[in-house]
Amino acid sequence: AFSEDGKKWTFERFRLNSSISVLDPNVVRLEDGRYRLYFDEGFRDPFNRRNSGLLSAISSDGVNFKVEEGIRYDEPGMADPKVLKMGEVYRLYYPSDEPGKIKTAISYDSGFTFKKESTLSIQNAGASFEIIPVEGSWRIYYNSLEGTSVAFSSDGLNWKFE
């Protein structure tokens, strides 16, 4: 959707120069002003939890995207990826198979390639979560046994339950 004032929105479908099905989209604005769309290809094998890996497409206007060659990151079972620019790096977060765990990967090349970084322990974290910037730090909202829970981090790796 598009809005000039943040109040009135107009639906606009993004366009991809491919017939690939997009699953779990996540868009990040790059330092040069372009947009990178991260996504899983819309095919998953429910028996071995294998997908095509984290793919991406690039756009100068945030609407018309061109699929980039190659895979940004690949781990069996990865779903619902979230990429954030944190200082000089881009960090990928995705749910772990282990309860209360979220995995991360890191990129030093503007989010083009990622390497495995860490497995975070976040009190009762479920598979669904969102991370937002808050005054130079980060806050994660996630599903837990208690409902929606919140944790805070100054570096994106060490989280304190709020």
Side-chain angles (χ1 to χ4, degrees):
F2 173 77
S3 174
E4 291 183 8
D5 61 8
K7 295 177 184 177
K8 183 179 177 186
W9 293 86
T10 304
F11 175 77
E12 188 170 5
R13 184 177 301 264
F14 78 90
R15 295 176 215 43
L16 193 64
N17 72 330
S18 171
S19 61
I20 292 175
S21 296
V22 173
L23 188 63
D24 299 330
N26 175 231
V27 177
V28 174
R29 187 136 194 209
L30 303 175
E31 292 108 358
D32 64 8
R34 293 181 302 161
Y35 299 86
R36 180 164 283 136
L37 168 69
Y38 296 97
F39 60 95
D40 296 335
E41 189 172 0
F43 170 80
R44 289 214 179 123
D45 181 340
F47 298 105
N48 70 9
R49 298 197 59 197
R50 181 73 184 150
N51 61 17
S52 59
L54 184 65
L55 304 176
S56 67
I58 198 80
S59 171
S60 60
D61 63 7
V63 176
N64 298 289
F65 286 87
K66 180 181 179 190
V67 174
E68 296 179 289
E69 290 292 321
I71 296 172
R72 307 289 74 79
Y73 186 71
D74 191 18
E75 181 167 326
M78 183 183 66
D80 199 17
K82 295 174 182 17
V83 176
L84 297 156
K85 183 172 185 330
M86 297 182 149
E88 299 301 313
V89 301
Y90 288 76
R91 189 163 277 128
L92 164 64
Y93 294 87
Y94 55 100
S96 171
D97 290 340
E98 302 174 63
K101 307 278 186 187
I102 295 173
K103 293 184 179 183
T104 70
I106 194 164
S107 171
Y108 298 98
D109 61 359
S110 295
F112 194 71
T113 56
F114 289 85
K115 67 177 186 172
K116 187 178 236 173
E117 181 182 36
S118 179
T119 300
L120 310 176
S121 292
I122 299 179
Q123 183 177 336
N124 297 322
S128 179
F129 61 90
E130 286 299 325
I131 301 171
I132 62 167
V134 179
E135 299 174 10
S137 297
W138 303 93
R139 185 166 282 138
I140 184 170
Y141 295 85
Y142 59 94
N143 289 341
S144 70
L145 299 175
E146 294 84 27
T148 301
S149 296
V150 180
F152 178 81
S153 174
S154 60
D155 64 4
L157 291 175
N158 298 292
W159 295 88
K160 181 180 177 185
F161 181 73
E162 292 185 327

